[in-house]
Amino acid sequence: MSRLLTDEEITRQLGDLPGWTREGAEIRASYEAPDFPAAIRLVDEVAVEAEDMDHHPDIDIRWRTVKFALSTHSEGGLTQLDVELAHRVAQSAARLGASARG
């Protein structure tokens, strides 16, 4: 099990994740892909990463825009798993030409 991160740890680590923000017990980001197939590939890549980590995000896709919300529900907040998955999402997005919005 992962421990809950402190507010300071969350703030510091979000500094390394452009486009990611904290909303209560979640971190969120929205990415715009070059086209719909790239947005679907982003969801697919993140699904593989999430399955490997056994840590699954909430995902919303609207045409080229993919929104991610991460939280460790079993712990009731944010853990290092969320930060690690956010980094993996950002890496996949960059590889596919998707840019963070917001």
Side-chain angles (χ1 to χ4, degrees), residues 17 20 31-34 38-50 66 68 84-100:
L17 287 163
W20 286 84
Y31 288 90
E32 187 166 324
I40 295 299
R41 284 192 300 276
L42 176 57
V43 171
D44 187 51
E45 282 194 20
V46 170
V48 171
E49 293 288 344
V66 184
F68 297 92
E84 175 60 29
L85 185 53
H87 278 287
R88 293 183 188 197
V89 169
Q91 290 166 355
S92 291
R95 190 169 38 259
L96 293 168
S99 55

Side-chain angles (χ1 to χ4, degrees), residues 9 25 30 46 62 64 78 83-84 87 89 100:
E9 288 171 321
S30 181
V46 170
R62 309 289 170 121
R64 299 182 310 153
L78 294 164
V83 174
E84 175 60 29
H87 278 287
V89 169

Side-chain angles (χ1 to χ4, degrees), residues 2 36 67 88 93:
S2 292
F36 185 69
K67 297 178 182 180
R88 293 183 188 197

Side-chain angles (χ1 to χ4, degrees), residues 4 8 12 14 19 25 27 40 45 59 64 68 74 88 96:
L4 290 175
E8 188 276 326
R12 181 175 37 81
L14 284 178
I27 55 175
I40 295 299
E45 282 194 20
I59 302 172
R64 299 182 310 153
F68 297 92
S74 62
R88 293 183 188 197
L96 293 168

